[in-house]
Amino acid sequence: MIGCSSAKPVQPAPPPESQGSVTAKLIADPNAPSVKLPPGEVYVQPQVMRGNPMPEYPADLIPLKLAPHVVVVRITSNEQSRIEDVRPSPLGGSTEDQYSGRFQEAVAQAVANWRVFPAEIRRMKNGPDLDNDGKPDYDIVTARRVLKAFFDIAFRFEIVDGKPVVRTDTPKGATVQ
C-alpha cells in the first residue's frame, strides 16, 4: 500500500461535477510514507471516478436541523479500482456527538461501492520535438505499475434552506492534494 507525500504528483483534470455524484478533494496525509522515485518516473494519485454516489443525509435527522457535521474517512483502494476499506481518518476533523455514528454509517454505505482510478507509478520518456524549439512537446508513458493506495476525504452534512446537502470538504488545517 502506498501513500506518497514527496513524489511529484501528476493530477488529471478533476471529473466534471454532475448531479448526485462526487467531485472529491483528496486530503494529503503529512505522515504518509515518502517514496523516492528515480528520474523519469512519476506518481499519479488515485482519483475518484465520476458517477459515484454522495452519502445520503440520514432522513430522520433532517427535521432536527442539526449544525453541520463533518465525517473524515480514510479510503483504501486496490489495483482493480475497488474500495477495500473505509475507516475514520487518523487525520481527525470529524464531528463527534450523539449523531456522528449515523453520519459515519451514511458515508461508509456510499463509499463502499465507489470506483476510483487507481494510483500508479508511470515511467516516462520525452516525446518528439515537433516544433523544433529544442524541447519535447509531450511525454510518453513507457510503463505503468498500478498500486493499492489510501486517501482521505471529508464529507460535510448540512441543512441549507431546509434541505439536506452533502459536500466533500477539507478539515481545518488539512492540505488538499
Side-chain angles (χ1 to χ4, degrees):
M1 179 166 18
I2 187 166
C4 189
S5 65
S6 70
K8 179 180 170 188
V10 173
Q11 296 184 352
E17 208 163 332
S18 63
Q19 190 170 7
S21 66
V22 177
T23 299
K25 299 174 187 175
L26 304 186
I27 303 166
D29 182 348
N31 300 315
S34 69
V35 176
K36 303 289 186 220
L37 297 175
E41 288 191 356
V42 294
Y43 172 75
V44 179
Q45 67 185 2
Q47 295 289 312
V48 176
M49 286 186 183
R50 185 172 162 214
N52 288 320
M54 284 293 280
E56 292 184 22
Y57 196 109
D60 59 323
L61 298 182
I62 295 170
L64 300 178
K65 297 180 180 161
L66 300 170
H69 274 70
V70 175
V71 176
V72 186
V73 292
R74 173 153 294 173
I75 299 170
T76 303
S77 62
N78 66 23
E79 298 88 339
Q80 289 77 39
S81 304
R82 299 277 183 204
I83 302 304
E84 283 191 356
D85 188 39
V86 180
R87 64 181 57 203
S89 171
L91 301 177
S94 292
T95 303
E96 297 294 334
D97 67 11
Q98 65 188 21
Y99 304 106
S100 59
R102 299 289 310 287
F103 291 105
Q104 290 168 359
E105 183 180 314
V107 168
Q109 285 178 344
V111 171
N113 294 311
W114 276 15
R115 302 263 328 227
V116 299
F117 294 104
E120 55 183 48
I121 294 177
R122 293 180 183 167
R123 184 172 305 126
M124 311 295 285
K125 75 173 188 174
N126 291 338
D129 176 13
L130 300 173
D131 58 4
N132 296 315
D133 65 355
K135 296 182 255 178
D137 294 323
Y138 54 87
D139 291 331
I140 299 171
V141 177
T142 61
R144 295 177 28 187
R145 185 167 33 130
V146 179
L147 308 167
K148 180 176 180 177
F150 67 82
F151 54 95
D152 295 75
I153 298 181
F155 295 92
R156 182 179 180 87
F157 293 79
E158 58 189 329
I159 302 295
V160 177
D161 297 326
K163 296 183 180 176
V165 175
V166 182
R167 300 182 175 122
T168 59
D169 200 6
T170 303
K172 192 174 187 174
T175 57
V176 177
Q177 291 180 332

